[in-house]
Amino acid sequence: MTQGLLDRRIVNTRAPHQAAALDELLRAHGATPLDYPCIEIVAPDDHAPIDAALRELSRGQYAWLVLTSANTVLAVARRLEALSLRLDGTLFRTAAIGPATRDAAWEILRIETMVVPEKFVAESLGETIPVREGERVLLPESEIARPVLAGMLRERGTEVTVVAAYRTERGHGGDDTVPGMIAQGLVDAVTFTSASTVTHFLERIGREGGHVARALEVCAACIGPVTAEVARKSGFTSVVVPEEYTLAGMTDALEDYFSEEPSGGEERS
């Protein structure tokens, strides 16, 4: 391991319940993480659709449960608890978008995942799941999830039920010195693990007296191509994308980025 992140100040925009894992990785690389939560995971306004779907799932009325984030797993677990339900993972098959979601499914729901795609994005997941025509698929997601996965599965002849498991709001709290540090050029990078963290970060900076133009000059480390595209469209001039769309991959990509000291405006992947 090089020392590209040694003493670098890196903003962690993850929700408070998720921040520790990335903080640990950054510290292991010698960086100083600055927690600045930019999203908060909250329940949807209407629980009825997800509650009805989970009752059907618990009775084995779906062939597949498809999980697209660890936040989805947590949201499902909360509704199961509220309904006094427990899922029997032998009644259906489970697919997860990546290893973090797979691990959360086991740790929180005690459900084993059968399918994880090679690339941890919706398009790859949609191609990988071995669904059969006519099968019912339950897809709990964020209220603002892209429709691409549901569309791909429907094109393959499945009956997909999409339900809102949670919604994201702008986060709050954390290190309140971050806006001022960015304005003074004292932050080296900001990490983004979803498109919503990008938009809510810029909103927080603007609302809390920060300098948005200076923020856009800071290196944006994005966990995958969808998040990176939002960062580029938002105006970030330096975007880092790992080859493996995981927290560890993102941290390693940042390490390489600063070790090589690229010029501004260059994208690395």
Side-chain angles (χ1 to χ4, degrees):
M1 183 177 69
T2 65
Q3 295 192 346
L5 290 184
L6 186 63
D7 296 328
R8 298 282 185 178
R9 298 184 183 94
I10 312 294
V11 175
N12 181 352
T13 60
R14 303 193 88 197
H17 71 279
Q18 295 178 314
L22 180 55
D23 284 349
E24 183 177 345
L25 283 167
L26 291 170
R27 291 191 183 100
H29 283 251
T32 299
L34 303 171
D35 287 346
Y36 191 64
C38 291
I39 60 170
E40 182 176 354
I41 307 303
V42 299
D45 291 332
D46 183 5
H47 290 145
I50 187 171
D51 289 354
L54 290 176
R55 288 190 180 98
E56 289 187 327
L57 182 67
S58 70
R59 295 194 295 265
Q61 294 178 309
Y62 284 95
W64 285 93
L65 170 63
V66 180
L67 301 168
T68 55
S69 72
N71 284 329
T72 300
V73 176
L74 181 60
V76 166
R78 287 172 175 170
R79 291 315 304 161
L80 289 170
E81 182 178 5
L83 296 169
S84 298
L85 290 178
R86 179 174 294 181
L87 296 180
D88 179 351
T90 66
L91 298 179
F92 52 86
R93 288 168 287 177
T94 301
I97 199 165
T101 305
R102 174 200 62 204
D103 294 347
W106 175 250
E107 292 166 5
I108 298 174
L109 299 175
R110 284 294 182 261
I111 291 176
E112 292 188 3
T113 298
M114 297 184 62
V115 175
V116 177
E118 182 177 348
K119 293 185 177 180
F120 312 143
V121 293
E123 289 82 353
S124 184
L125 182 58
E127 294 171 354
T128 303
I129 302 175
V131 293
R132 297 190 180 98
E133 187 173 353
E135 287 186 322
R136 297 187 72 205
V137 178
L138 177 58
L139 181 56
E141 295 184 307
S142 162
E143 284 187 349
I144 59 172
R146 296 185 301 143
V148 61
L149 178 55
M152 291 178 70
L153 294 174
R154 286 175 178 138
E155 286 177 359
R156 297 174 62 186
T158 66
E159 179 185 336
V160 183
T161 300
V162 179
V163 292
Y166 67 95
R167 57 190 173 88
T168 58
E169 294 182 348
R170 186 176 60 252
H172 60 276
D175 191 333
D176 60 7
T177 68
V178 166
M181 293 179 69
I182 288 176
Q184 297 173 57
L186 300 178
V187 167
D188 297 289
V190 182
T191 59
F192 297 117
T193 54
S194 66
S196 56
T197 56
V198 178
T199 55
H200 288 317
F201 168 76
L202 294 174
E203 288 175 4
R204 274 203 74 178
I205 290 296
R207 286 171 173 266
E208 296 176 9
H211 196 295
V212 173
R214 292 297 299 272
L216 294 172
E217 295 172 355
V218 176
C219 172
C222 300
I223 202 166
V226 175
T227 304
E229 181 65 15
V230 173
R232 286 193 296 270
K233 288 181 176 179
S234 297
F236 281 93
T237 55
S238 295
V239 178
V240 173
V241 188
E243 292 183 5
E244 181 179 89
Y245 309 147
T246 63
L247 295 179
M250 183 171 64
T251 305
D252 289 341
L254 265 178
E255 176 88 32
D256 293 342
Y257 177 86
F258 285 112
S259 296
E260 296 170 12
E261 297 183 348
S263 60
E266 182 174 351
E267 178 173 343
R268 299 298 178 94
S269 62

